[in-house]
Amino acid sequence: MNFITPKSTDLLLSEAETENLYLKLIEQINKDFNLANEGIDLPLSLLPNEIKLQLHEKIYRLIQYKFAEYLNLLYIIDVSEEEIKKLDGSDLVILAEQVVFLILKREWQKVWFRNKYK
């Protein structure tokens, strides 16, 4: 089975749940945010829509007030620079939403591969 990139945040989160890797995904997000010194500490009990909201809020704030830290976070998570450059930055709320999806996509990829090849 090959890794297939989910088409939306909701599909990604439900796939993580279906594959019983949802908690691993939360752990990976927490780990990478901590590595970037931007601790988010998502509880493992968080529901998918709450994850989306908390990540959105965090990314929105980073873009607005701590841009260098935001770039560092993307670097540590290893979000594709090419994909980031394709985004339209004119509306920060929408931009943050799209960046959350890119972050989740990358984190999900890491968790999925680690699980598949352990």
Side-chain angles (χ1 to χ4, degrees), residues 48-81:
N49 61 331
E50 294 171 322
I51 283 186
K52 254 182 6 186
L53 282 171
Q54 286 203 20
L55 282 173
H56 185 269
E57 213 171 282
K58 179 81 172 178
I59 295 303
Y60 180 80
R61 267 197 246 110
L62 285 175
I63 291 171
Q64 218 170 13
Y65 305 112
K66 296 169 81 180
F67 199 73
E69 290 86 344
Y70 159 74
L71 294 177
N72 184 49
L73 176 72
L74 295 180
Y75 175 76
I76 284 175
I77 292 173
D78 190 28
V79 174
S80 156
E81 203 177 315

